[in-house]
Amino acid sequence: MPPAQRHPTMVDVAERAGVSPSTVSRTLRGLSTVSPEVRVRVEQAARELNFAVSRQAASLATGKTGVVAVLTPVLNSWFMGSALDSLGPILRAAGMDLLIYVTPDMTERADFFERLPARRNADALLVFSFDLTEEEGARLDELEIPVIYVSQHAEGRASVYIDDVAGARQGTQYLLNLGHRRIAFVKTVGPTGFTFSSNERLTGYRQALNEAGIPLDDDLVVTVPSIGDKRIVVEAVGQLLSRRQPPTAIFAEQDNAGVAVLWTLRKSRIDVPERISVLGFDDHEIARWSELSTIAQSPADIGRAAGELARSLVNDPDADQGQHIVLPTRLILRSSTAPLPREENVYRSGTDPLDADSPRHTDDGSWRFVGESGE
């Protein structure tokens, strides 16, 4: 019986290529710290020896696990699904694996922060959509690996996020430019209690009203669940419509809430956008199906940016560990928003701070902005 054939090792590849085992590991993991000439030699030697890289061997040679971890409170969300779908290929192209920690309840959350398993299992940690306590943030600082906060700004720490304030300000300004003055805002509360984006979007809404000289009215701000309970949405819309001067536009800080508002208004036989315009935020697929105008963000772009940042911070220890990547939003126009109906303008006085920017009907039934002909 012939003796068992010995499998080639990283040392064998290193000897054939004339380099060190650690160089072989860096090359076969796709790291950028290897010159093109050395990469060609190592890859040729590996092919000749039929060598397949071992994650354990690479870890021993470089001190790296080749793993990037994700910490998230949920997986079953549109945002997380889209972000992870684009994050995975970025890491695979760099020879890195993805490890996900999900902490859906306080017990699992407490266990994660007590044990900090990412310390020994990963080279970097991406923290998705998490409101951290001061103690939890301090614990993550103890990891001694790059920690990147995704979908939120973390002062002094690496972050990838959209400018929620600017996006909400743009959405509110768009409604103001359509002639709307009584603009309601629908805040959402998700099952995880994540508040960063919600608070930022409310700030952007208020900033736009302040800049336009529109008095803030807290009665025009209502809160609903981000998913589920239609009854609460119906009650919130009813609360807005029962006002002496109900809103002519409703800005929902998530598309899920915006579509629920659309459904409630149409169920009540209130025409959208003829009587009330509705604007969302996110550009969720449900917004496209419902023809909801919205402020779009791209979770896929956020996932890719987070993956690229993780790769650069792992490969370059001297890189700025507190850098921020801020991605843009954009306004998507659909059929749920329209200029303020002509009869709704009767309450406005000549002292309206936005009168010069407000759309009005022309004789041919089209819309133009006051001031275009010197009015």
Side-chain angles (χ1 to χ4, degrees), residues 2-49:
Q5 186 175 6
R6 185 178 72 87
H7 293 291
T9 67
M10 195 173 295
V11 173
D12 297 326
V13 176
E15 289 178 352
R16 176 163 294 207
V19 298
S20 67
S22 62
T23 299
V24 172
S25 175
R26 292 198 305 275
T27 302
L28 298 182
R29 290 176 56 208
L31 301 186
S32 59
T33 54
V34 180
S35 69
E37 297 80 10
V38 170
R39 185 178 302 281
V40 170
R41 295 207 323 262
V42 171
E43 290 177 347
Q44 181 178 348
R47 285 194 299 271
E48 292 173 354
L49 294 173

Side-chain angles (χ1 to χ4, degrees), residues 186-189 222-238 240-241 250-270 272 276-282 284-294 336:
V186 178
K187 279 178 57 69
T188 58
V189 177
V222 295
T223 302
V224 301
S226 60
I227 55 175
D229 206 335
K230 287 183 179 179
R231 178 184 58 83
I232 297 179
V233 176
V234 171
E235 291 177 355
V237 172
L240 293 173
L241 297 182
I250 298 176
F251 186 3
E253 60 112 337
Q254 283 188 11
D255 284 341
N256 283 335
V259 170
V261 169
L262 273 178
W263 177 88
T264 302
L265 292 172
R266 288 167 177 166
K267 194 78 172 175
S268 304
R269 299 188 179 182
I270 297 174
V272 176
I276 296 181
S277 286
V278 181
L279 179 68
F281 199 122
D282 283 335
H284 190 295
E285 285 184 0
I286 197 172
R288 301 166 209 171
W289 299 336
S290 304
E291 277 297 307
L292 176 69
S293 296
T294 191
S336 68

Side-chain angles (χ1 to χ4, degrees), residues 42-109:
V42 171
E43 290 177 347
Q44 181 178 348
R47 285 194 299 271
E48 292 173 354
L49 294 173
N50 293 320
F51 174 79
V53 67
S54 160
R55 176 70 71 197
Q56 183 177 12
S59 177
L60 290 174
T62 65
K64 302 292 185 182
T65 65
V67 173
V68 169
V70 164
L71 174 63
T72 177
V74 294
L75 279 178
N76 61 336
S77 72
W78 162 78
F79 180 89
M80 283 304 304
S82 298
L84 292 177
D85 193 49
S86 62
L87 171 63
I90 292 294
L91 297 181
R92 287 195 296 273
M96 307 176 85
D97 292 332
L98 178 62
L99 174 64
I100 300 176
Y101 296 102
V102 185
T103 56
D105 56 50
M106 293 307 297
T107 300
E108 294 190 44
R109 177 169 174 160

Side-chain angles (χ1 to χ4, degrees), residues 46-355:
R47 285 194 299 271
E48 292 173 354
L49 294 173
N50 293 320
F51 174 79
V53 67
S54 160
R55 176 70 71 197
Q56 183 177 12
S59 177
L60 290 174
T62 65
K64 302 292 185 182
T65 65
V67 173
V68 169
V70 164
L71 174 63
T72 177
V74 294
L75 279 178
N76 61 336
S77 72
W78 162 78
F79 180 89
M80 283 304 304
S82 298
L84 292 177
D85 193 49
S86 62
L87 171 63
I90 292 294
L91 297 181
R92 287 195 296 273
M96 307 176 85
D97 292 332
L98 178 62
L99 174 64
I100 300 176
Y101 296 102
V102 185
T103 56
D105 56 50
M106 293 307 297
T107 300
E108 294 190 44
R109 177 169 174 160
D111 180 67
F112 176 88
F113 283 99
E114 180 181 352
R115 296 189 302 110
L116 290 183
R119 187 200 305 273
R120 60 181 180 276
N121 294 331
D123 299 327
L125 177 66
L126 306 180
V127 182
F128 272 82
S129 304
F130 236 102
D131 275 338
L132 297 177
T133 66
E134 186 175 339
E135 293 76 11
E136 289 170 339
R139 284 289 284 163
L140 293 185
D141 290 341
E142 297 172 8
L143 280 173
E144 298 180 351
I145 61 174
V147 177
I148 301 167
Y149 292 80
V150 184
S151 197
Q152 60 184 310
H153 172 95
E155 194 65 39
R157 301 174 175 107
S159 308
V160 178
Y161 56 96
I162 63 169
D163 191 337
D164 287 288
V165 172
R169 192 168 59 239
Q170 179 189 23
T172 307
Q173 184 62 60
Y174 162 65
L175 294 173
L176 289 166
N177 286 345
L178 291 179
H180 298 282
R181 299 296 179 270
R182 299 189 304 279
I183 302 171
F185 188 85
V186 178
K187 279 178 57 69
T188 58
V189 177
T192 66
F194 180 62
T195 61
F196 179 85
S197 295
S198 180
N199 292 338
E200 293 286 281
R201 293 173 190 181
L202 178 60
T203 296
Y205 158 81
R206 287 173 168 163
Q207 282 184 4
L209 294 181
N210 272 324
E211 291 165 3
I214 304 294
L216 299 179
D217 185 347
D218 289 338
D219 288 339
L220 288 177
V221 177
V222 295
T223 302
V224 301
S226 60
I227 55 175
D229 206 335
K230 287 183 179 179
R231 178 184 58 83
I232 297 179
V233 176
V234 171
E235 291 177 355
V237 172
Q239 175 184 335
L240 293 173
L241 297 182
S242 66
R243 291 177 51 79
R244 185 176 64 86
Q245 286 190 330
T248 62
I250 298 176
F251 186 3
E253 60 112 337
Q254 283 188 11
D255 284 341
N256 283 335
V259 170
V261 169
L262 273 178
W263 177 88
T264 302
L265 292 172
R266 288 167 177 166
K267 194 78 172 175
S268 304
R269 299 188 179 182
I270 297 174
D271 293 332
V272 176
E274 291 80 7
R275 297 299 301 176
I276 296 181
S277 286
V278 181
L279 179 68
F281 199 122
D282 283 335
D283 201 26
H284 190 295
E285 285 184 0
I286 197 172
R288 301 166 209 171
W289 299 336
S290 304
E291 277 297 307
L292 176 69
S293 296
T294 191
I295 301 297
Q297 66 167 321
S298 173
D301 288 347
I302 291 173
R304 279 189 288 269
E308 293 286 2
L309 181 56
R311 184 171 65 177
S312 68
L313 294 182
V314 169
N315 291 340
D316 182 6
D318 296 326
D320 180 6
Q321 299 289 320
Q323 60 185 288
H324 302 298
I325 298 176
V326 185
L327 300 178
T329 59
R330 65 190 190 281
L331 175 64
I332 303 294
L333 300 182
R334 299 192 178 102
S335 64
S336 68
T337 50
L340 183 70
R342 186 175 184 179
E343 60 271 23
E344 291 291 342
N345 282 288
V346 297
Y347 80 94
R348 298 192 303 141
S349 70
T351 60
D352 187 336
L354 284 183
D355 195 60

